[in-house]
Amino acid sequence: SPEAKAKLQPIFQLLSAQYFDDGVISGEEIVEKSQIAMGEAAYRAAVASAGKGQTKLTIGWEVLGLDEETATKIFEEVSGEGFLTQTQAKYGASQQKYDSKGSKVHKDDELENPEEADDEEDEDNSMSASGNVQECTKCGFTLFVAEGRDFKFFNAGFTCPECGASKSKFKAADLDA
């Protein structure tokens, strides 16, 4: 609103004065471009946070000083990206899935790299549950696998760090002995 802009004018002038006018871009232009960028970023975040159920422009674009054309462009961009937030876009919208042998699988449960799959059948005394203590039968190396992390550290391609033996050479350790 004009009243809000008038109240913010002293702050605008203060910020503008902080930038040296080098003849290419003035302090006022820097502040104006920054305000536009912040408004667009805030609207992009609002659209993504509102989620996939939206069929029309997310509210708030007027308050952020955007015109309808810019708001529509941003809405269509975020919609085309699946309404992902910045965090989802950066770190992945969904978590990677793994099979029982630690191989990555797609959403349809097909192996991501079938050529790397371990064809050996797990024996009864090999590690099937998380949190087991495993011992290499070749060299005695003991592996303490944290619960829920066996797919990461004791996967199909695992070899003993001491002697290079395959995963099949590891057996559940007898802690009572």
Side-chain angles (χ1 to χ4, degrees), residues 33-169:
K33 289 180 185 277
S34 297
Q35 287 176 322
I36 291 168
M38 287 186 284
E40 289 176 357
Y43 187 64
R44 181 177 300 280
V47 172
S49 294
K52 296 179 180 173
Q54 303 174 82
T55 56
K56 58 183 182 176
L57 289 180
T58 308
I59 60 169
W61 56 271
E62 303 98 335
V63 174
L64 294 169
L66 303 178
D67 58 39
E68 189 170 2
E69 181 182 346
T70 302
T72 301
K73 179 182 159 223
I74 291 170
F75 182 88
E76 289 172 354
E77 286 174 3
V78 175
S79 172
E81 296 165 356
F83 294 101
L84 297 178
T85 64
Q86 282 185 325
T87 302
Q88 291 169 326
K90 186 173 183 176
Y91 298 109
S94 61
Q95 296 211 347
Q96 177 66 53
K97 290 175 61 178
Y98 297 88
D99 68 4
S100 63
K101 294 184 178 183
S103 300
K104 290 182 180 180
V105 294
H106 295 290
K107 290 179 182 175
D108 60 0
D109 291 330
E110 294 293 321
L111 287 176
E112 188 172 294
N113 296 313
E115 64 279 358
E116 295 177 8
D118 185 7
D119 292 332
E120 297 178 25
E121 290 296 320
D122 288 338
E123 296 177 19
D124 288 341
N125 59 353
S126 70
M127 189 163 104
S128 59
S130 297
N132 287 333
V133 178
Q134 298 289 309
E135 186 174 37
C136 178
T137 57
K138 200 169 173 188
C139 71
F141 179 80
T142 304
L143 180 68
F144 298 88
V145 182
E147 187 172 345
R149 302 293 290 164
D150 52 332
F151 71 90
K152 175 87 171 161
F153 297 103
F154 201 65
N155 60 27
F158 176 82
T159 58
C160 178
E162 291 291 320
C163 68
S166 70
K167 175 183 173 180
S168 64
K169 298 293 182 190

